[in-house]
Amino acid sequence: MPIHPSRQRSTRSSERPGVQQAEAALVEHYPRLVRLAYLVLPPSLGRHQRVLAAHAAVQRALPGRRTAGPREPLRTRIPAPGRSVPSPRNPAAAHGATSAYAWVRLRVLRTALAYERRPRWWPGRIPAPASLRPALPFVRGLRLFPRAGGAEELALDRTLSTVSAAVRAAFALRLLEGLTDLEATVLLARAGASDAAGAVRAAGRLESADRPRTESLLRSPEFDPCTLQTRPSDLLRRRHRLRAVASAAALCVMAGGLVVLASENGPRGPQDGRARAGSVAADPAALLRTAATEWADTSRVDFTAWPARGDRTQDRDLLGRALRRWGHTPRSVHVSTSPGTLSVPPAQPPRLLYAGEVDGAAVVLFHDGGVRLVRYAEPLTGAGAAALDFARTDDADVTTGAAVVVSRRRDGARFLLAPWVSETTTRDLLAPNAPARSLKVGRDGVTAPVSRPSPGRSCGSWPVLQLRSSERIAENHSFLLTDLGDLAPVHLTYTPLPGKGAPPRGPREATGGPALLSWARTVCSLRALRGSGVRAVNNWAFARQPLPEGGTPADWVCTRADTWQGPGRVLIQFLQPAASLTAPGAVVADRPGTALCGRFGQHVLAGTHWRAPSGRWYVLAAGSRAVNRIKVTGGVRGSAGGTTLVVRAPQDAQVELKARLRVGGTLSAVR
């Protein structure tokens, strides 16, 4: 009976197979090996180079060819060849039916790990130069990218980018290859990992409670370097380079070898780079334009599927002016950027999304290279400065790529909607029982003005967009977007309280009754997030706690804001019973730059001081569903089983909270 290669024990990989055996294993399992290499390689390479490096690592793994990966460490203690690590899961794998695959897999891992390995003499804080890494195959004129996934795939990719290559390798070996912790440790040690056991432990901490779901994310097209999309490289810049080469050749003939030598070896100043970028940015004819119906026939539903709209899309003067000022921004132009966004000229022709007149200004909207939105606006008449706004939008999807602000004034903002939006309404989150109201949309996709959330401390209203996607993209559902001051509005979601005995619940659209009631009490906390490059915010109701002295239950909510840059910020809010549906919750903890309350940070513990109607003070604490015991120390001491704790304590008591998890380990409270 054939043995699946994922069950092949890593200890068999020391046996060198013949070339034909190794080639057969490589060809048969090529997509699997390339995916493994792609996951291990550093994300800092960029998706294009990472794809090429993954294929190179696999193709150069055949015996008899030079590989870039280091040889097997001589000091590694490993079992003798021909003996396998015992495992009760699949005893038949010990017969070595796929030892060639295991041997090739080891070679691939060594090469992939070498990209983050520095020579012993290289300074620790300086990345190893490209000359010390395995060489890449050469692709000219094309950029290669795996197909973009959704928000979950993006979150997993960003989480993996924060750990070492050895941890990423252990993560993939456990989930994709089905190896045990011991097998993965032995294999990583042979591949040259300095702390293989530590890498396996760290990989175990990355796994979510829903392991099958995490495995399915790793097998998604986001991490498949064999199913690719292609885009041309900078066509205009390539033409200019060819012309420059021809001119240099003519100068060589006319001026002699000395002039040519000086021109090739002489230093190039920053003016050269700006001139080349400016020539690309100044040509309206090179702008990319998407067909009007492409959004309904593509697997990538994001800004790349937006057609060019507006009554001035053929105005070469306006488009040229916008591109020139983007390439060479004069001081008279006001420039704003969202966090983590560069205002540099485009490296390739951008995509035109809109050109028209809105609220007394000519507005042009570009999408640049899949990572940025750029809005140019200039007044139609009278005084006033032009403006350029830049915002990150990499890996947008059907919801986060559904609208863009084209005009923002004191009385409200107008949005350009995605072509897949079939129904447009607005609602006030501080009036959860009021129905949504219809919003007028022009033929060019621009909405009527939508009121902005109340400024200052009053927070008397919070208007949001409630949109519904078209059935033509098989995503027929409604969702909420709110304006937090950036070009792209923010997607709001909700995760309800955990059910008894039910599996963990994921975020869902915040359009139902419980979601609207939750947001009515927490939305005013979003004022602290204005202009911070937020992509989406989720309200997670992680615990419900009966209050002491016979009080009604209170809810604990973790409000997590994910930014386009990647880092998240969480606000822990305590929602005690209130007479008003819009009474704001108390923010008891605020932590920036954290994975808490996300897919890869599903355990949370928080606490607060609370005064009962009798005047007595208590320390309250609550944890997520995996918490089975909470302990308080410091000014008071106590403990309780389950997910909540109540202890009498003075108002100013300094306490420390810790929880024990059912899955093992401890958890400290968020502060």
Side-chain angles (χ1 to χ4, degrees):
M1 181 178 67
I3 305 300
H4 195 279
S6 65
R7 300 299 188 187
Q8 173 57 37
R9 299 296 168 252
S10 59
T11 54
R12 299 282 301 174
S13 59
S14 59
E15 298 179 355
R16 177 175 178 136
V19 175
Q20 292 183 348
Q21 291 177 303
E23 183 177 9
L26 187 150
V27 172
E28 181 181 358
H29 304 292
Y30 186 81
R32 185 189 197 92
L33 291 167
V34 176
R35 187 189 293 266
L36 175 63
Y38 184 82
L39 287 167
V40 177
L41 288 165
S44 59
L45 288 176
R47 292 195 294 173
H48 173 74
Q49 285 189 308
R50 199 172 164 197
V51 166
L52 298 181
H55 284 272
V58 176
Q59 293 176 15
R60 298 178 184 183
L62 289 178
R65 298 185 181 182
R66 296 179 60 186
T67 58
R71 294 182 178 179
E72 185 174 319
L74 296 178
R75 297 181 181 180
T76 302
R77 297 183 62 186
I78 58 176
R83 301 187 62 186
S84 62
V85 178
S87 171
R89 295 180 306 162
N90 192 357
H95 297 297
T98 56
S99 61
Y101 171 82
W103 190 88
V104 172
R105 180 179 62 190
L106 173 61
R107 302 261 291 199
V108 170
L109 278 176
R110 286 177 180 169
T111 303
L113 290 172
Y115 275 81
E116 285 190 0
R117 189 181 299 115
R118 302 175 179 86
R120 293 182 180 178
W121 49 267
W122 194 258
R125 293 182 178 269
I126 302 177
S131 61
L132 296 176
R133 301 173 180 171
L136 299 178
F138 182 74
V139 174
R140 180 179 177 83
L142 286 176
R143 306 290 293 176
L144 306 177
F145 308 95
R147 292 187 177 275
E152 291 181 315
E153 289 85 349
L154 176 62
L156 176 57
D157 188 43
R158 287 173 173 170
T159 300
L160 292 177
S161 68
T162 63
V163 299
S164 67
V167 177
R168 291 193 297 271
F171 192 73
L173 290 173
R174 287 160 51 96
L175 291 175
L176 296 183
E177 297 292 298
L179 299 186
T180 65
D181 289 354
L182 176 59
E183 294 163 358
T185 301
V186 173
L187 181 55
L188 285 175
R190 289 184 164 177
S194 57
D195 182 11
V200 172
R201 288 193 297 270
R205 291 192 293 269
L206 285 180
E207 289 185 19
S208 66
D210 189 358
R211 177 168 176 156
R213 177 58 181 161
T214 305
E215 181 179 342
S216 70
L217 292 178
L218 283 183
R219 298 186 186 278
S220 68
E222 173 81 20
F223 304 103
D224 183 5
C226 290
T227 304
L228 301 171
Q229 292 180 321
T230 61
R231 293 290 185 273
S233 59
D234 190 347
L235 301 177
L236 285 180
R237 180 173 296 180
R238 198 188 311 162
R239 288 169 54 193
H240 288 300
R241 285 175 177 169
L242 291 175
R243 291 174 183 173
V245 171
S247 300
L251 287 174
C252 176
V253 174
M254 295 174 61
L258 182 61
V259 175
V260 174
L261 181 62
S263 64
E264 290 182 349
N265 296 335
R268 294 181 179 269
Q271 296 293 338
D272 295 333
R274 285 196 292 267
R276 290 193 296 271
S279 64
V280 174
D283 188 358
L287 288 171
L288 303 178
R289 299 171 187 253
T290 303
T293 59
E294 183 172 325
W295 63 270
D297 297 309
T298 179
S299 61
R300 182 173 178 178
V301 185
D302 57 13
F303 290 112
T304 62
W306 281 39
R309 288 172 289 175
D311 56 5
R312 299 186 66 174
T313 56
Q314 303 302 323
D315 189 338
R316 293 178 59 88
D317 292 338
L318 173 62
L319 299 178
R321 198 157 52 247
L323 291 169
R324 287 193 299 273
R325 290 183 175 179
W326 180 4
H328 301 278
T329 306
R331 293 183 178 179
S332 60
V333 176
H334 178 266
V335 177
S336 69
T337 59
S338 65
T341 310
L342 300 177
S343 59
V344 298
Q348 58 187 6
R351 187 179 307 277
L352 178 63
L353 303 184
Y354 181 83
E357 298 178 3
V358 185
D359 293 335
V363 178
V364 183
L365 188 66
F366 300 110
H367 183 234
D368 177 36
V371 297
R372 288 188 299 176
L373 280 176
V374 182
R375 182 183 63 186
Y376 171 78
E378 63 181 26
L380 293 175
T381 59
L388 273 170
D389 303 307
F390 298 85
R392 284 188 63 167
T393 56
D394 39 324
D395 296 306
D397 55 26
V398 67
T399 54
T400 55
V404 177
V405 175
V406 290
S407 174
R408 185 182 283 117
R409 302 196 303 184
R410 290 185 177 180
D411 59 343
R414 293 181 188 265
F415 298 86
L416 177 65
L417 301 181
W420 56 81
V421 173
S422 61
E423 181 181 312
T424 308
T425 57
T426 63
R427 71 181 318 135
D428 186 356
L429 287 185
L430 293 180
N433 291 330
R437 301 183 306 274
S438 178
L439 179 65
K440 184 178 179 180
V441 181
R443 296 180 60 183
D444 58 355
V446 177
T447 70
V450 178
S451 300
R452 300 177 64 185
S454 300
R457 298 182 178 180
S458 61
C459 196
S461 65
W462 199 285
V464 296
L465 289 172
Q466 181 167 315
L467 308 178
R468 182 177 295 277
S469 57
S470 170
E471 295 180 354
R472 296 176 64 185
I473 59 173
E475 288 281 353
N476 183 20
H477 70 281
S478 59
F479 52 93
L480 299 185
L481 299 177
T482 187
D483 181 13
L484 289 185
D486 294 312
L487 285 183
V490 177
H491 182 208
L492 300 181
T493 56
Y494 170 71
T495 304
L497 284 163
K500 293 184 178 180
R505 298 179 176 180
R508 57 194 63 185
E509 300 303 342
T511 53
L516 293 174
L517 291 173
S518 175
W519 274 112
R521 301 197 60 185
T522 57
V523 70
C524 290
S525 65
L526 298 186
R527 291 177 294 179
L529 304 175
R530 291 187 190 273
S532 57
V534 176
R535 169 194 176 102
V537 185
N538 180 55
N539 253 8
W540 174 30
F542 66 87
R544 174 165 288 173
Q545 180 174 28
L547 295 177
E549 302 184 10
T552 54
D555 286 343
W556 292 82
V557 174
C558 183
T559 302
R560 176 177 174 82
D562 288 313
T563 65
W564 292 100
Q565 286 182 280
R569 177 179 176 180
V570 299
L571 304 174
I572 305 295
Q573 306 196 57
F574 179 67
L575 308 185
Q576 58 181 325
S580 171
L581 295 178
T582 60
V587 178
V588 301
D590 182 350
R591 180 180 292 183
T594 179
L596 284 174
C597 303
R599 179 163 186 82
F600 303 102
Q602 297 186 358
H603 308 311
V604 63
L605 172 69
T608 187
H609 289 80
W610 180 77
R611 182 182 181 182
S614 65
R616 299 187 184 93
W617 283 90
Y618 294 85
V619 168
L620 307 181
S624 49
R625 60 183 289 145
V627 170
N628 63 2
R629 190 165 192 83
I630 302 175
K631 182 179 180 181
V632 58
T633 57
V636 294
R637 292 181 175 273
S639 63
T643 60
T644 61
L645 172 142
V646 176
V647 176
R648 281 281 304 274
Q651 177 182 359
D652 56 353
Q654 300 294 317
V655 298
E656 182 178 358
L657 294 167
K658 285 190 176 295
R660 188 177 63 195
L661 301 175
R662 291 196 306 268
V663 295
T666 60
L667 189 66
S668 297
V670 186
R671 295 182 180 274

